[in-house]
């Protein structure tokens, strides 16, 4: 009997034409429904909404209505009951989002009649940033090569583009930057633009606008001009002509993303001009077409006493000098997507300039595609942080106008490498639509759509997901430690690492400052005074070692090894407990997962199981490396009630990982 059942299930899978390989992401409902769906307007986008509902919706007839038409209004309402349902929106896109919302409710057991749903996105721009190079490699990508096949385009259009568009639309993502911020000037060559046009044509019906990263030196490299000075008339003309050329091909082109004067990229400062002068020149070229410039604030200089201060120092004096179609794109924290960072002080600070947040979906600093780290709790902590920018009650979420996420997408079958990394793509879309959603609700939705509706599966696995970011922080960099990664690949520990001749702010010691007295970066008045960039009363809280949140203690303070923590332990003992807790958490995840055997398909079960093993092993590696190294300064025993290290520091120092997909040897 059991065999018969298995055979028929297998057969069902064959009929559906899919393997349980994760390729269908969270969009797994079978397409065998025959719903009655009508619409009061025809268009390609509305046809997609109609077809999605026709083939997947198993309830009463649905009617799609455009009302008070306004193409850029993405809100929708869903009303009705078992006798009939109406989705109403001012735009085609809104109807599509409404259709996906209804299907999500069906797939997550969330339908409660009568329906009276009103949804409207918090931000108008919810954009992925691909760090994809034109040669098919992906900077900080851990899921294979780029999905954009520039060598085949424009003739060959991969079916993945449409699947990608559908997945994004289903979670409300409405824009994408196709290429790396370390931008090749070649992206603006006419032949490349013809390729980008084809991609844009596939994405458009799903409501997704295309943007490109541009290299500030393009007028010189591509146009042969003697300079790329933004105040030079010929340079300005070049950009205007280029914008005109792009818009002829892609009439709804979104605009440019720019990394300038950062990590060796060219920029206006090369010509003695400011970020504002550079951004405004591009903004003027895009303005007639309604395009925007997303100008990144990720800048730091080797001469600054504290890398964490630089962005604020460079950008605050420019507040109010940017054109209204420029938005400053700021990473969530002041350093660089560390496992845990305080929010960047630029949030809530620039009152006359639009600021958008950049978070990293790809897990550059969180175990790549090997570790399970559900990032919604991290992003929630960030979005909910009170900046005090307009008195109290100014969370980051209310200070920004848009959200960007550095994509974790590649050409691997399951898109993201780790099956659970799909949850981070999903969570980014959902939070960019509604930052008030809880991490719990997002994990719940995702699990029910992706794996199973059964509570016996969902509840323990959700609890694991919700703890996973905390676990990674614990075994990598607890209590505010940061950037003690191995040189280059940012995967394993190397608090002792030295880049010969490298910039000080690329060396781990610069960040942890361990010595006989204590550990941590002194950002108080006796140190770099980076704390002063925050608003009161937050800064007073951070200055005081007793009121500084302990999870960020070593971010802001160089604390004595014997500093008394809230637990009553010394800092040294607390550090040991945190590292060990991370290891125990990772091991617990293995147990939670192993208990699910049989509750899901064997392919995904085994794939996740094997990565959880790696994660546990890596957690031990991190704990041993960091504790044995810091012990050399603290000169105290590891508390006897926790596990003893199983490695020797000298052996750990010999580990040199070769991770080929990391051509970037900087920190
Ligand atoms: C795209 C960090 C990463 C780089 C990345 C850079 C950035 O330094 O390691 O790979 O470059 O951030 O965000 O520009």
């Amino acid at each position: 009997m059991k065999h018969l059942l298995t055979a028929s299930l297998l057969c069902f899978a064959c009929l559906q034409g899919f393997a349980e390989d994760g390729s269908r992401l969270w969009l797994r409902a079978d397409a065998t429904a025959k719903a009655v769906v009508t619409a009061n307007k025809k268009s390609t986008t509305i046809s997609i909404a109609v077809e999605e509902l026709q083939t997947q919706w198993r309830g009463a007839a649905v009617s799609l209505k455009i009302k008070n038409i306004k193409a850029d209004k993405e809100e929708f309402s869903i009303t009705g009951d078992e006798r009939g349902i109406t989705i109403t929106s001012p735009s085609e896109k809104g109807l599509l989002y409404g259709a996906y919302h209804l299907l999500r409710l069906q797939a997550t057991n969330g339908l409660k009649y009568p329906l009276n749903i009103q949804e409207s996105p918090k931000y108008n721009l919810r954009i992925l940033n691909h760090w994809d190079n034109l040669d098919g490699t992906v900077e900080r990508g851990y899921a294979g090569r780029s999905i954009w096949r520039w060598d085949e385009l424009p003739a060959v259009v991969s079916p993945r583009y449409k699947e990608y568009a559908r997945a994004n639309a289903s979670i409300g993502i409405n824009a994408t930057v196709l290429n790396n911020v370390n931008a090749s000037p070649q992206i603006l060559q006419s032949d490349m633009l013809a390729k980008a046009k084809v991609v844009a044509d596939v994405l458009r019906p799903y409501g997704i606008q295309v943007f490109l990263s541009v290299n500030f030196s393009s007028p010189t490299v591509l146009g042969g001009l003697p300079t790329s000075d933004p105040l030079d008339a010929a340079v300005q003309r070049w950009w205007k002509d280029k914008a005109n050329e792009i818009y002829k091909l892609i009439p709804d082109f979104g605009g440019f993303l720019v990394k300038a004067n950062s990590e060796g990229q060219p920029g206006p400062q090369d010509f003695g001009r400011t970020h504002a002068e550079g951004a405004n020149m591009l903004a003027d070229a895009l303005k007639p077409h309604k395009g925007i410039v997303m100008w990144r604030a990720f800048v730091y200089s080797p001469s600054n006493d504290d890398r964490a201060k630089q962005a604020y120092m460079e950008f605050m004096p420019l507040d109010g000098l940017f054109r209204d179609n420029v938005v400053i794109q700021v990473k969530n924290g002041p350093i660089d997507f560390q496992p845990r960072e305080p929010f960047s002080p630029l949030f809530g600070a620039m009152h006359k300039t639009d600021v958008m947040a950049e978070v990293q979906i790809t897990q550059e600093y969180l175990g790549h595609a090997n570790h399970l780290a559900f990032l919604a709790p991290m992003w929630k902590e960030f979005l909910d942080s009170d900046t005090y920018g307009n008195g109290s009650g100014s969370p980051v979420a209310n200070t920004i106008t848009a959200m960007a996420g550095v994509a974790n997408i590649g050409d691997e079958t399951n898109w993201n490498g780790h099956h659970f990394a799909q949850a981070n793509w999903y969570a980014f879309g959902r939070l960019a639509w509604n930052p008030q959603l809880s991490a719990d609700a997002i994990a719940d939705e995702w699990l029910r759509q992706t794996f199973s509706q059964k509570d016996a599966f969902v509840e323990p696995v959700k609890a694991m997901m919700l703890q996973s970011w905390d676990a990674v922080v614990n075994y990598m960099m607890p209590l505010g430690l940061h950037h003690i990664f191995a040189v280059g690949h940012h995967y394993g520990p190397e608090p002792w690492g030295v880049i010969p001749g490298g910039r000080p702010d690329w060396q781990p010691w610069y960040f942890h400052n361990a010595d006989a007295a204590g550990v941590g970066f002194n950002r108080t008045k006796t140190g770099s005074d980076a704390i002063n960039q925050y608003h009161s009363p937050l800064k007073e809280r951070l200055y005081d070692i007793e009121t500084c949140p302990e999870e960020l203690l070593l971010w802001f303070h160089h604390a004595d090894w014997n500093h008394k923590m809230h637990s009553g332990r010394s800092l040294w003992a607390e550090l040991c407990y945190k590292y060990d807790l991370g290891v125990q958490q990772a091991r617990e995840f293995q147990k939670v997962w192993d208990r699910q055997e049989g509750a899901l398909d064997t392919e995904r079960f085994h794939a996740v199981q094997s990565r959880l093993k790696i994660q546990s092993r890596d957690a031990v590696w991190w704990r041993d490396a960091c504790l044995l190294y810091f012990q050399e300064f603290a000169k105290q025993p590891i508390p006897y009630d926790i596990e003893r290290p199983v490695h020797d520091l000298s052996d750990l120092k010999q580990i040199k990982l070769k991770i080929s997909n990391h051509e970037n040897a900087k920190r």
Side-chain angles (χ1 to χ4, degrees):
M1 178 64 193
K2 193 172 171 222
H3 286 125
L4 264 181
L5 196 66
T6 320
S8 64
L9 279 177
L10 278 177
C11 200
F12 176 72
C14 312
L15 283 173
Q16 295 284 308
F18 52 74
E20 294 296 4
D21 54 14
S23 58
R24 290 179 302 150
L25 297 161
W26 48 88
L27 296 165
R28 297 166 51 83
D30 60 72
T32 54
K34 293 202 167 46
V36 177
V37 185
T38 54
N40 70 349
K41 186 173 182 253
K42 276 202 168 125
S43 80
T44 328
T45 300
I46 293 177
S47 303
I48 295 170
V50 169
E51 198 187 320
E52 293 281 22
L53 289 167
Q54 274 172 343
T55 54
Q56 292 166 67
W57 173 244
R58 299 190 177 275
V62 185
S63 131
L64 302 179
K65 287 198 177 133
I66 296 265
K67 209 170 151 190
N68 303 331
I69 193 154
K70 207 142 197 279
D72 57 351
K73 288 253 175 246
E74 299 172 298
E75 70 236 31
F76 63 83
S77 66
I78 307 179
T79 52
D81 52 29
E82 293 92 333
R83 289 163 301 164
I85 290 170
T86 307
I87 305 180
T88 314
S89 172
S91 69
E92 299 170 15
K93 259 206 257 185
L95 289 183
L96 185 61
Y97 294 142
Y100 284 124
H101 192 88
L102 189 62
L103 291 170
R104 176 163 51 241
L105 292 178
Q106 172 177 262
T108 55
N109 263 350
L111 283 166
K112 287 189 187 58
Y113 292 119
L115 296 169
N116 191 3
I117 296 165
Q118 315 284 336
E119 284 273 334
S120 154
K122 169 88 172 167
Y123 310 115
N124 292 337
L125 183 64
R126 307 172 297 278
I127 186 166
L128 287 181
N129 288 184
H130 286 265
W131 285 357
D132 295 22
N133 299 313
L134 304 187
D135 65 1
T137 56
V138 181
E139 182 157 342
R140 312 303 178 187
Y142 314 105
R145 290 172 61 79
S146 172
I147 57 166
W148 313 122
R149 306 206 168 179
W150 296 110
D151 48 345
E152 295 178 350
L153 282 162
V156 180
V157 182
S158 156
R160 273 235 153 170
Y161 304 158
K162 196 164 150 186
E163 293 167 29
Y164 165 90
R166 178 176 180 241
N168 282 317
S170 76
I171 49 174
I173 290 171
N174 66 359
T176 186
V177 184
L178 301 180
N179 62 316
N180 193 353
V181 286
N182 289 329
S184 159
Q186 272 62 45
I187 188 68
L188 291 179
Q189 273 174 193
S190 300
D191 60 331
M192 290 306 295
L193 294 176
K195 295 169 192 253
K197 173 210 161 29
V198 172
V199 175
D201 288 346
V202 179
L203 306 192
R204 184 174 302 109
Y206 287 87
I208 294 166
Q209 219 181 353
V210 159
F211 287 68
L212 295 174
S213 295
V214 296
N215 182 299
F216 205 78
S217 290
S218 300
T220 312
V221 182
L222 281 191
L225 298 186
T227 177
S228 291
D229 181 347
L231 299 196
D232 183 280
V235 171
Q236 294 169 354
R237 182 76 260 152
W238 189 89
W239 282 108
K240 283 192 174 137
D241 289 346
K242 196 40 91 176
N244 293 341
E245 182 188 348
I246 297 173
Y247 279 92
K248 265 196 202 115
L249 293 165
I250 309 173
D252 58 349
F253 180 67
F256 298 144
L257 172 64
V258 191
K259 171 174 177 178
N261 294 120
S262 163
E263 299 187 330
Q265 292 299 315
Q269 292 173 348
D270 304 349
F271 310 96
R273 314 298 182 195
T274 66
H275 286 291
E277 287 167 322
N280 291 345
M281 184 255 315
L282 296 176
D284 290 344
L286 295 166
K287 181 81 176 177
H289 309 282
K290 300 196 172 62
I292 66 164
V293 175
M294 296 175 292
W295 190 269
R296 296 177 90 228
F298 178 65
V299 292
Y300 57 98
S301 106
S303 56
N304 195 305
D305 62 333
D306 183 358
R307 173 171 161 179
K309 292 198 308 194
Q310 181 94 14
Y312 185 99
M313 288 168 65
E314 277 194 40
F315 280 84
M316 277 308 286
L318 302 176
D319 191 18
L321 299 182
F322 292 95
R323 300 276 193 267
D324 62 2
N325 59 334
V326 175
V327 51
I328 306 302
Q329 182 167 308
V330 182
K331 289 189 181 182
N332 59 292
I335 296 281
D336 188 11
F337 299 135
Q338 295 303 289
R340 178 181 240 134
E341 295 200 29
F343 68 87
S344 159
L346 272 174
F347 296 108
M350 298 184 81
H351 293 299
K352 294 182 236 143
T353 309
D354 281 348
V355 172
M356 64 189 285
E358 176 179 337
V359 297
Q360 197 179 39
I361 310 173
T362 190
Q363 291 170 230
E364 173 179 358
Y365 295 103
L366 286 125
H368 298 183
N370 283 340
H371 294 199
L372 193 162
F374 179 52
L375 300 180
M378 169 160 84
W379 299 333
K380 283 294 288 181
E381 177 175 290
F382 159 65
L383 291 163
D384 292 346
S385 297
D386 199 343
T387 65
Y388 295 92
N390 284 312
S392 85
S394 310
V396 169
N398 290 353
T399 69
I400 55 177
T401 59
M403 275 191 78
V406 180
N408 63 350
I409 296 162
D411 70 353
E412 280 191 7
T413 313
N414 79 356
W415 298 84
N416 306 115
H418 197 307
H419 287 291
F420 276 76
Q422 297 179 351
N424 291 331
W425 179 5
Y426 184 87
F428 169 75
R430 298 290 287 136
L431 281 175
W433 179 277
N434 179 4
Q436 293 203 313
L437 286 175
S438 70
D440 185 305
I442 296 170
D444 200 277
E445 277 180 6
W446 178 78
L447 281 168
R448 287 177 193 280
Q449 293 170 87
T450 309
F451 285 107
S452 163
Q453 286 276 12
K454 295 206 177 84
D455 289 347
F457 172 85
V458 171
E459 293 305 330
V461 176
K462 182 169 67 179
M464 167 177 82
M465 287 174 76
L466 292 175
Q467 237 195 75
S468 57
W469 168 56
D470 185 57
V472 177
V473 171
N474 284 335
Y475 62 68
M476 285 188 181
M477 285 166 229
L479 302 178
L481 284 173
H482 50 291
H483 230 319
I484 54 176
F485 288 96
V487 171
H489 54 65
H490 298 167
Y491 183 79
E494 212 172 86
W496 54 83
V498 176
I499 309 181
R503 304 164 49 144
D505 52 356
W506 287 350
Q507 320 278 353
W509 196 87
Y510 173 94
F511 295 99
H512 65 65
N513 293 284
D515 58 20
V519 62
F521 201 123
N522 181 359
R523 295 193 163 106
T524 68
K525 287 189 198 306
T526 58
S528 77
D529 204 17
I531 292 178
N532 200 30
Q533 294 180 336
Y534 290 95
H535 290 282
S536 291
L538 176 60
K539 65 170 149 188
E540 286 74 18
R541 208 179 298 151
L542 298 175
Y543 274 132
D544 185 344
I545 195 165
E546 297 305 329
T547 53
C548 178
E550 282 193 345
E551 63 273 16
L552 292 170
L553 186 71
L554 307 181
W555 187 285
F556 291 115
H557 293 268
H558 187 260
D560 192 289
W561 291 114
N562 292 314
H563 170 76
K564 195 163 175 199
M565 306 293 286
H566 299 322
S567 63
R569 297 183 188 115
S570 68
L571 168 62
W572 165 249
E574 187 78 4
L575 200 65
C576 295
Y577 277 100
K578 286 284 183 195
Y579 270 109
D580 194 56
L581 175 63
V583 171
Q584 305 311 329
Q585 286 171 306
R587 292 199 181 129
E588 191 57 36
F589 298 162
Q590 290 185 273
K591 292 184 201 156
V592 171
W593 190 251
D594 281 357
R595 283 191 201 107
Q596 305 308 323
E597 187 158 17
L600 71 156
D601 51 281
T602 52
E603 290 96 323
R604 289 185 300 166
F605 174 77
H606 287 304
V608 172
Q609 187 187 46
S610 61
R611 289 192 194 225
L612 285 173
K613 283 184 199 161
I614 300 175
Q615 183 163 3
S616 271
R617 283 201 296 267
D618 286 349
V620 174
W621 173 27
W622 269 97
R623 181 200 59 192
D624 287 4
C626 295
L627 290 186
L628 290 171
Y629 172 73
F630 288 128
Q631 193 179 29
E632 294 188 332
F633 301 92
K635 302 204 181 312
Q636 298 188 34
I638 292 171
Y640 296 108
D641 56 334
I642 67 173
E643 234 177 63
R644 318 320 292 158
V646 293
H647 299 97
D648 289 322
L649 186 57
S650 51
D651 293 339
L652 294 175
K653 284 187 175 175
Q654 299 309 315
I655 298 178
K656 292 274 171 268
L657 289 190
K658 283 206 174 60
I659 299 184
S660 58
N661 202 12
H662 303 82
E663 78 289 349
N664 211 323
K666 62 182 180 282
R667 293 206 67 83

